[in-house]
């Protein structure tokens, strides 16, 4: 054997050994992958929660939100939001679901339902402690209760027990709120963003869908979503009716959904809607919107911006957004105006230390100053507010604009309210809160007591537009000392009892009750720049009206808010009145909660009246009527599409449309691509194909074993690495 | 001494991971990462609206996103087994075939199924590779085995046609409730695999014909 032969033999042996090891390793890797993937399939899906949904079964864990459907109808300025969610327990044990969600601004939760044994069980409102006791008693016997409580001013908490291993649970929540009018823009916010959800996965595993129907007496000219842009499909069915739809898979439940639409002109004057159930006094909702009475003031104004830079402002990017808000506001100032910026945490810091004219140079300095601020420390607003008052000039109006989350120290609140009441005569205080983690009651009260306004912005909103709208309010005089008189009818329980100032573009809604049907007159008197202004309207108070039942609960909710804002809200008479209102009108409050029981017999057993079941049935009937009306408008819009006068076109039933879009209910699309409102697709290879593939793989392995080589000719036409080319 | 030393030195070898091994490893790693990261799923899935707005990467990345772990398991094991059947052959062309197939499938979904807004899954690509494997076996097998492979190919063609015509006829395993089978993905994948295999085969056929041409061998004088 010569040297070359020895070398070749050694080399071949080495090659064979190396190839053998490589093959074994490769086989092990392949088998490991296959085993791992099948194991993954067999094992429960790792828990990935959405928002603040957690399994509170004593061992931690997070549940999944499988789907989240939101249906919103805005009619007569009142938004009805219906949220249907499907939860999935991904764990192999029985758990209690705990779901915390933010309360929308000015919203009243009016229903909570759960699907038990395939049937929707509507909840009932009870005094909070009693509801909790009933819930706990069911929990012990491991049966099906659900509980919805108001946790604080900004959050609701829902508990459901038990959710069995791998089981699903469907829940539905309905709430009413006033649409947020600002001049000619109406904004709707579906709040999802919360600080406390940080760090948790915030996606639905399945569908997140939202559908909004906006109906307005004044024509709608455009609709947009500042938060989700072109993800929303927007359709104009009629001048007075727009529809918007959003549907995604793996929807983000940690971001507010904001939709805004513009009406052809600012809604001004007095509008009234009614609700009159049989054998009860009636309800009305009056919307006052100032128009031409408030002409723009030519004189310059002074502005002091108080920017909160405490540690809590770092959450949710609140500081960044507040900074952008001030920048947008300052950009809108004219050379006649003067301004100053004060940042504060535990102590205030001023920018100019005097009021500076709003020129280019000072605006640039302000921008640099704002950019250099970062969030840290606690919040002590009082010294900053008192510093701001020092900028008062006898001849000019002073506007103090506070941008804060209102998360001040508890013991400071009384001082703040005192500071507000001691403000200079020509000073107004305005509050702007950004995000959902804002102390709305405090900021609202500060602004109200100071004759100003509070604005709460979503992170997903258009800040430039909001800043412009806010500035518009400030540059126009307000209607002060607003009074309203009713003649020819007995009206009572007006809310708010004390009329607030009326600003340009910001309507004031008054809820009240009336004794009997009548043709009455309402006269509004107010003071604008020292002169008296009068507005009159005729009210045709009906004997019966079932079209707007929402305003009954809105009235009750307003009354609860008024009672909660009393100096001693925990006094017995106040809490018992809140409980009476909560139970009577089926609204969740600080003292009342929703409870869902397994069946009607269980409600009877606990002697719980089915008040809410009746109210929900009544509300749903009213909404169905509205739904039919909207459907008619959609059908009219569809009928006008395509060539008119062709055979079969007139009166064509859109239900026969086979274009793939959901007929009647689906908007006509303005987005770049049509969106069917569904269309989630996929394709697993399936058991048949997988078997074929496995057989082919086994065949390949056998052939390799037999030949010690490759199973067949190279499919790519490449020469074999081990066989010499013939 | 020098000669002996030389004898013990092993021949120089270059370590190469075959593409048929690299492809499933890549698919498993990327798909697992995506599956564990919900934000990535939304950003990478086939989303018709987003693609039309210029997010063209979704044409390929959508095939790596799955509806759940069961869906993932089915697709990934099929991919691993198919590559196992192909390897160590296949070469870089298998990666080209998989990527080309993915784009072809996505475009087919866009054109043929405009109502499918969102699509996830690797099954279309798998059907492409399956067609490739069967055709390769068919070409290399003697007549009786070739008949079996022809029958298998026909059966699979019927299967993907049924998936296209009646997606609910054969119940799908691994898809969550509410998600429907997108038959066009299987159909397009299968025929993309066939087409790419044929295109790849064409230059080899020409080469073989060229080699098979009789050469004139002259007798020694």
């Amino acid at each position: 054997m010569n040297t070359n032969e020895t070398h070749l033999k050694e080399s071949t042996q080495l090659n064979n050994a190396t190839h053998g090891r490589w093959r074994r390793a490769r086989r092990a890797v392949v088998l490991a992958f296959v085993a791992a993937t099948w194991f993954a399939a067999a094992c429960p899906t790792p828990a990935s929660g959405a928002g603040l949904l957690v399994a509170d079964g004593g061992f931690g864990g997070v549940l999944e939100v499988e789907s989240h459907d939101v249906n919103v109808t805005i009619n007569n300025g009142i938004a009805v939001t219906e949220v249907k969610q499907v939860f999935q327990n991904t764990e192999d044990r029985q758990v209690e679901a705990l779901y915390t969600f933010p309360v929308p601004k000015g919203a009243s939760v009016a229903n909570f339902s759960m699907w038990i044994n395939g049937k929707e069980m509507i909840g009932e409102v009870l005094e909070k402690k009693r509801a909790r006791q009933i819930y706990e008693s069911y929990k012990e016997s491991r049966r099906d209760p659900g509980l919805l409580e108001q946790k604080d001013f900004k959050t609701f908490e829902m508990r459901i027990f038990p959710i069995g291993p791998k089981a699903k649970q469907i829940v539905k929540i309905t709430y009413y709120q006033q649409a947020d009018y600002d001049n000619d823009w109406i904004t709707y916010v579906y709040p999802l963003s919360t600080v406390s959800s940080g760090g948790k996965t915030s996606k639905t595993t399945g569908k997140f869908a939202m559908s909004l129907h906006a109906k307005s007496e004044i024509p709608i000219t455009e609709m947009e979503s500042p938060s989700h842009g072109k993800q929303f499909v927007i359709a104009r069915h009629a001048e007075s009716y727009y529809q918007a739809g959003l549907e995604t898979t793996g929807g983000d439940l940690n971001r507010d959904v904001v939709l805004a639409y513009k009406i052809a002109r600012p809604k001004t004057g007095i509008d009234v809607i009614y609700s009159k159930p049989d054998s009860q006094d009636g309800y009305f909702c009056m919307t006052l919107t100032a128009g031409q009475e408030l002409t723009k003031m030519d004189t310059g104004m002074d502005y002091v911006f108080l920017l909160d830079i405490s540690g809590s402002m770092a959450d949710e990017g609140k500081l960044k957004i507040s900074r952008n808000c001030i920048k947008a506001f300052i950009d809108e100032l004219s050379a006649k105006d003067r301004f100053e910026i004060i940042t504060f945490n535990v102590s205030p810091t001023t920018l100019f230390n005097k009021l500076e004219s709003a020129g280019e140079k000072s605006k640039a300095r302000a921008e640099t100053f704002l950019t250099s601020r970062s969030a840290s420390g606690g919040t002590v607003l009082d010294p900053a507010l008192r510093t701001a008052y020092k900028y008062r000039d006898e001849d000019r109006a002073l506007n103090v604009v506070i941008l804060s989350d209102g998360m001040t120290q508890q013991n400071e609140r009384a001082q703040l309210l005192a500071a507000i009441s001691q403000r200079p005569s020509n000073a107004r205080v305005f509050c702007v809160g950004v995000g959902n983690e804002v102390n709305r009651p405090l900021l609202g009260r500060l602004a109200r007591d100071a004759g100003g306004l509070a604005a709460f912005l979503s992170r997903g909103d258009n800040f430039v537009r909001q800043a412009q709208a806010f500035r518009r309010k400030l540059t126009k005089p307000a209607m002060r000392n607003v009074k309203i008189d009713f003649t020819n009818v007995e009206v009572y329980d007006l809310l708010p009892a004390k009329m607030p100032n009326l600003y340009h573009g910001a309507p004031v809604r008054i809820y009240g009750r009336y004794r009997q049907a009548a043709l009455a007159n309402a006269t509004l008197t107010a003071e604008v720049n020292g002169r008296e202004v009068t507005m009159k309207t005729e009210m045709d108070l009906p004997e019966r009206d079932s079209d707007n039942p929402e305003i009954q609960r809105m009235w009750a909710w307003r009354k609860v808010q008024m009672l909660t804002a009393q100096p001693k809200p925990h006094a017995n008479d106040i809490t018992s009145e809140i409980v009476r209102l909560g139970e009577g009108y089926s609204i969740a409050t600080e003292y009342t909660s929703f409870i869902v029981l397994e069946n009607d017999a269980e409600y009877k057993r606990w002697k719980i009246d089915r008040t809410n079941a009746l109210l929900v049935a009544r509300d749903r009937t009213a909404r169905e009527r509205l739904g039919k009306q909207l459907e008619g408008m959609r059908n009219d819009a569809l009928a006008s599409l395509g060539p008119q006068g062709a055979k079969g076109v007139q009166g064509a039933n859109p239900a026969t449309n086979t274009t793939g879009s959901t007929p009647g209910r689906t908007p006509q699309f303005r987005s770049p691509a049509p969106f069917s409102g569904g269309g989630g697709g996929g394709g697993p290879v399936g058991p048949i194909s997988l078997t074929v593939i496995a057989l082919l793989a086994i065949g390949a392995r056998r052939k390799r074993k037999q030949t010690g080589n490759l199973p067949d000719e190279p499919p790519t036409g490449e020469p074999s690495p081990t066989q010499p080319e013939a | 001494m020098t000669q002996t030393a030389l004898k013990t030195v092993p021949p120089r070898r270059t370590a190469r991971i075959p593409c048929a091994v690299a492809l499933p490893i890549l698919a498993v790693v990327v798909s697992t990462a995506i599956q564990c990261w919900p934000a990535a799923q939304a950003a990478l899935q086939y989303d018709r609206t987003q693609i039309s707005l210029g997010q063209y990467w979704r044409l390929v990345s959508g095939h790596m996103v799955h509806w759940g772990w069961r869906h993932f398991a089915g697709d990934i094991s099929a991919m691993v087994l198919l590559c196992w059947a192909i390897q160590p052959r296949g070469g870089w062309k298998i990666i080209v075939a998989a990527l080309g197939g993915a784009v072809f499938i996505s475009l087919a979904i866009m054109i043929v199924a405009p109502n499918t807004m969102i699509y996830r899954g690797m099954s279309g690509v798998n059907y492409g590779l399956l067609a490739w494997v069967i055709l390769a076996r068919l070409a290399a097998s003697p007549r009786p085995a070739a008949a079996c492979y022809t029958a298998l190919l026909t059966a699979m063609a019927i299967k993907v046609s049924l998936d296209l015509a009646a997606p609910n006829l054969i119940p799908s395993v691994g898809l969550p409730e509410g998600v429907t089978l997108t038959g066009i993905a299987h159909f397009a994948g299968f025929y993309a695999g066939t087409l790419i295999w044929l295109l790849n085969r064409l230059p080899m056929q020409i080469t073989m014909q060229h080699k098979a041409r009789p050469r004139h061998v002259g007798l020694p004088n």
Side-chain angles (χ1 to χ4, degrees):
Chain A
M1 199 184 287
N2 63 25
T3 314
N4 281 346
E5 278 171 346
T6 314
H7 192 137
L8 190 64
K9 197 179 171 186
E10 277 175 9
S11 166
T12 313
Q13 281 169 353
L14 192 71
N15 266 349
N16 285 345
T18 316
H19 273 271
R21 276 201 300 276
W22 169 238
R23 269 202 299 271
R24 276 195 297 278
R26 209 164 46 197
R27 195 182 306 152
V29 167
V30 169
L31 289 173
F33 280 145
V34 175
T37 46
W38 281 111
F39 180 71
C43 284
T45 312
S48 60
L52 288 169
L53 179 67
V54 292
D56 189 20
F59 304 102
V62 181
L63 303 180
E64 281 182 355
V65 176
E66 197 183 85
S67 68
H68 190 120
D69 281 286
V70 186
N71 203 318
V72 188
T73 309
I74 305 176
N75 184 33
N76 287 325
I78 293 175
V80 179
T81 306
E82 227 174 37
V83 185
K84 190 175 177 184
Q85 298 182 88
V86 181
F87 301 140
Q88 165 97 51
N89 179 9
T90 56
E91 303 194 19
D92 281 322
R93 61 187 173 97
Q94 202 175 53
V95 296
E96 178 182 28
L98 174 66
Y99 188 58
T100 309
F101 59 97
V103 190
K105 186 174 74 177
S108 144
V109 175
N111 185 37
F112 168 47
S113 302
M114 263 170 70
W115 269 251
I116 301 173
N117 301 326
K119 189 185 167 198
E120 184 189 3
M121 285 310 296
I122 292 168
E124 291 296 338
V125 174
L126 292 181
E127 194 269 322
K128 197 172 191 172
K129 274 185 194 162
R130 188 175 172 226
R132 177 57 88 128
Q133 277 165 4
I134 294 174
Y135 177 79
E136 293 297 336
S137 74
Y138 276 98
K139 224 177 119 177
E140 279 165 22
S141 58
R142 296 189 171 270
R143 285 166 73 187
D144 272 336
L147 182 73
L148 187 137
E149 292 176 322
Q150 184 165 356
K151 202 175 155 195
D152 54 40
F153 65 88
K154 65 181 192 302
T155 36
F156 273 92
E157 191 177 86
M158 183 169 71
R159 286 175 180 272
I160 300 164
F161 185 83
I163 301 187
K166 308 282 179 200
K168 283 181 189 172
Q169 180 63 58
I170 307 174
V171 295
K172 194 192 249 184
I173 297 162
T174 309
Y175 59 80
Y176 301 147
Q177 70 192 114
Q178 291 173 173
D180 199 357
Y181 272 84
D182 200 327
N183 201 39
D184 47 1
W185 279 94
I186 292 111
T187 308
Y188 173 84
V189 178
Y190 183 64
L192 289 165
S193 160
T194 52
V195 168
S196 32
S197 64
K200 286 202 174 77
T201 311
S202 56
K203 298 267 179 185
T204 53
T205 52
K207 189 178 72 162
F208 172 73
M210 184 163 177
S211 170
L212 182 138
H213 303 263
K215 189 169 170 276
S216 164
E217 287 156 27
I218 299 171
I220 301 171
T221 54
E222 62 176 288
M223 184 181 264
E224 63 171 38
S225 170
S227 62
H228 287 69
K230 286 182 175 171
Q231 279 180 282
F232 256 104
V233 176
I234 293 168
R236 176 187 180 275
H237 294 298
E239 259 194 348
S240 57
Y241 173 32
Y242 266 58
Q243 186 182 0
L246 167 77
E247 187 163 326
T248 59
T249 308
D252 194 344
L253 296 185
N254 196 21
R255 188 157 65 114
D256 290 353
V257 182
V258 185
L259 262 162
Y261 58 95
K262 192 179 182 186
I263 48 177
R265 59 175 170 79
K267 190 173 182 167
T268 55
I270 302 175
D271 297 293
V272 197
I273 53 169
Y274 311 94
S275 177
K276 173 82 170 65
D278 290 329
S279 67
Q280 267 189 50
D281 287 354
Y283 301 79
F284 66 88
C285 168
M286 181 177 274
T287 309
L288 314 174
T289 319
Q292 296 305 317
E293 302 85 359
L294 308 177
T295 49
K296 195 174 175 180
M297 291 186 288
D298 283 335
T299 53
M301 293 175 104
D302 293 340
Y303 299 90
V304 178
F305 297 96
L306 295 184
L307 175 63
D308 183 352
I309 54 164
S310 62
S312 60
M313 290 292 282
D315 298 331
E316 287 188 297
K318 282 187 275 192
L319 179 60
K320 190 181 166 195
I321 295 164
S322 301
R323 262 199 306 242
N324 290 344
C325 262
I326 297 185
K327 282 178 194 168
F329 199 105
I330 289 172
D331 282 342
E332 291 290 311
L333 296 182
S334 69
K336 284 181 186 174
D337 298 318
R338 297 184 302 176
F339 75 100
E340 164 69 307
I341 299 173
I342 301 174
T343 57
F344 67 95
N345 41 27
V346 286
S347 64
T349 310
T350 59
L351 167 62
F352 305 118
N353 222 22
K354 61 173 185 173
L355 284 164
E356 194 74 34
S357 291
E360 291 305 316
K361 208 174 162 186
S362 54
K363 284 180 184 178
R365 269 188 72 188
E367 191 166 345
T368 313
F369 177 72
L370 287 169
T371 313
S372 67
R373 303 286 96 182
S374 58
S376 63
T379 312
V380 186
L381 176 56
D382 185 52
L385 193 59
R386 290 184 193 277
T387 309
Y389 290 161
K390 291 181 189 167
Y391 289 83
R392 182 179 72 104
D393 189 328
E394 290 291 340
D395 306 326
R396 293 164 70 98
L398 175 68
N399 297 297
V400 179
V401 183
I402 304 170
L403 289 101
S404 170
D405 55 7
M407 301 297 180
T408 60
Q409 288 157 21
Q410 190 66 38
N411 57 5
E412 206 212 346
R413 291 178 192 176
Q415 281 178 11
L416 267 178
L417 294 171
I420 285 288
S421 63
Q422 290 157 16
R423 71 188 189 281
S425 57
N426 59 346
R428 295 184 296 180
V429 179
F430 299 85
C431 297
V432 180
V434 175
N436 297 318
E437 303 282 331
V438 172
N439 190 344
R440 286 202 292 261
L442 179 73
L443 294 181
R445 187 158 175 205
L446 286 180
R448 198 172 52 246
D449 288 1
L453 270 175
F456 300 100
L457 310 182
S458 162
R459 282 196 292 160
D461 215 330
N462 181 337
F463 300 106
V464 175
R465 195 183 68 220
Q466 291 288 5
Q468 284 168 350
F470 204 70
R471 166 145 166 82
R472 223 176 7 240
K473 291 184 190 90
L474 269 58
T475 53
K476 296 197 174 189
M479 277 189 172
R480 295 166 191 274
N481 301 325
V482 181
K483 283 178 194 155
I484 190 151
D485 290 315
F486 297 92
T487 51
N488 207 23
V489 67
E490 190 184 340
V491 167
Y492 64 101
D493 268 343
L494 275 185
L495 298 164
K498 188 192 167 207
M499 296 294 148
N501 289 347
L502 196 52
Y503 285 88
H504 179 264
V508 166
R509 284 203 180 79
I510 299 162
Y511 289 87
R513 302 205 58 184
Y514 65 93
R515 296 264 183 234
Q516 71 287 326
L519 196 62
N521 287 308
T523 310
L524 180 140
T525 51
E527 204 180 282
V528 181
N529 285 339
R531 71 185 163 86
E532 195 178 277
V533 173
T534 308
M535 289 160 79
K536 281 186 181 175
T537 192
E538 215 170 59
M539 293 170 73
D540 189 1
L541 299 158
E543 182 63 48
R544 193 175 182 282
D545 190 308
S546 55
D547 282 345
N548 309 295
E550 303 88 14
I551 63 171
Q552 297 180 23
R553 296 203 209 202
M554 293 298 287
W555 170 84
W557 184 81
R558 281 295 192 98
K559 187 150 186 182
V560 168
Q561 298 304 303
M562 187 267 284
L563 292 168
T564 314
Q566 295 294 310
K568 288 180 183 172
H570 304 296
N572 276 343
D573 54 336
I574 291 180
T575 52
S576 59
E577 177 63 5
I578 292 174
V579 171
R580 192 189 67 78
L581 285 166
E583 288 182 348
Y585 290 86
S586 294
I587 47 176
T589 68
E590 221 177 306
Y591 301 97
T592 52
S593 307
F594 269 99
I595 187 148
V596 179
L597 300 181
E598 201 175 342
N599 50 44
D600 291 334
E602 291 301 311
Y603 282 108
K604 265 187 192 165
R605 191 163 77 83
W606 290 97
K607 293 182 181 143
I608 300 170
D609 293 335
R610 300 307 317 267
T611 315
N612 190 46
L614 293 172
L615 292 179
V616 168
R618 180 202 63 186
D619 293 0
R620 284 183 182 170
T621 310
R623 277 211 299 283
E624 268 169 30
R625 275 201 300 274
L626 176 66
K628 276 184 187 160
Q629 201 185 336
L630 296 178
E631 196 178 353
M633 292 166 91
R634 284 196 297 269
N635 290 344
D636 290 347
L638 270 181
S640 66
L641 289 177
Q644 302 297 300
K647 199 180 174 185
V649 167
Q650 292 299 323
N653 183 1
T656 57
N657 185 337
T658 53
T659 55
S661 320
T662 314
R665 292 208 166 271
T666 309
Q668 303 132 33
F669 305 107
R670 291 201 318 183
S671 69
F675 185 74
S676 68
V685 279
I688 300 169
S689 309
L690 206 56
T691 312
V692 170
I693 292 166
L695 287 173
L696 283 169
I698 292 164
R701 188 170 169 266
R702 275 195 179 170
K703 201 151 193 177
R704 263 182 235 133
K705 262 192 176 173
Q706 280 169 6
T707 58
N709 219 316
L710 299 169
D712 41 55
E713 56 113 27
T716 58
E718 281 183 347
S720 159
T722 51
Q723 277 183 317
E725 202 169 2
Chain B
M1 282 297 286
T2 317
Q3 254 189 340
T4 317
L6 275 172
K7 273 180 198 172
T8 56
V9 174
R12 197 176 165 199
R13 295 175 65 251
T14 49
R16 279 179 61 198
I17 298 175
C19 291
V21 176
L23 181 65
I25 291 176
L26 193 73
V28 169
V29 171
V30 175
S31 298
T32 310
I34 294 170
Q35 201 57 28
C36 296
W37 188 19
Q41 290 174 19
L44 297 175
Q45 68 189 358
Y46 168 99
D47 186 326
R48 189 184 167 81
T49 314
Q50 300 303 331
I51 293 168
S52 62
L53 291 171
Q55 297 184 3
Y56 300 115
W57 66 83
R58 290 173 186 268
L59 292 172
V60 175
S61 64
H63 298 271
M64 304 258 200
V65 187
H66 291 88
W67 289 107
W69 287 103
R70 286 185 70 195
H71 185 207
F72 169 86
D75 278 358
I76 288 293
S77 34
M79 162 72 80
V80 169
L81 288 170
L82 280 164
C83 290
W84 169 260
I86 291 171
Q87 67 90 22
R89 299 241 170 91
W92 59 269
K93 286 177 184 173
I94 194 171
I95 292 183
V96 173
L99 288 176
V103 175
F104 184 84
I105 294 160
S106 297
L107 292 175
I109 295 170
M110 284 205 98
I111 297 160
V112 181
N115 293 324
T116 300
M117 302 310 295
I118 289 162
Y119 173 82
R120 294 177 176 189
M122 208 182 275
S123 56
V125 176
N126 283 337
Y127 273 98
L129 293 176
L130 177 62
W132 180 298
V133 171
I134 299 173
L135 283 165
R137 294 286 171 82
L138 177 62
S141 302
R143 197 161 281 180
C148 290
Y149 285 120
T150 309
L152 184 61
L153 192 70
T154 314
M156 293 319 293
I158 292 168
K159 200 263 172 194
V160 294
S161 304
L162 277 175
D163 282 347
L164 179 64
N168 298 325
L169 193 70
I170 303 167
S172 49
V173 182
L175 286 185
E177 209 178 313
V179 178
T180 50
L181 178 78
T182 309
I184 183 64
H186 293 181
F187 189 84
F190 189 78
Y191 287 101
T194 308
L195 190 71
I196 295 170
W197 187 83
L198 287 172
L199 287 174
N200 175 53
R201 179 92 180 151
L202 204 62
M204 198 177 75
Q205 291 277 4
I206 294 164
T207 316
M208 282 171 74
Q209 278 171 12
H210 179 73
K211 278 183 183 168
R213 206 174 289 160
R215 276 190 289 179
H216 175 74
V217 182
L219 288 169
N221 290 324

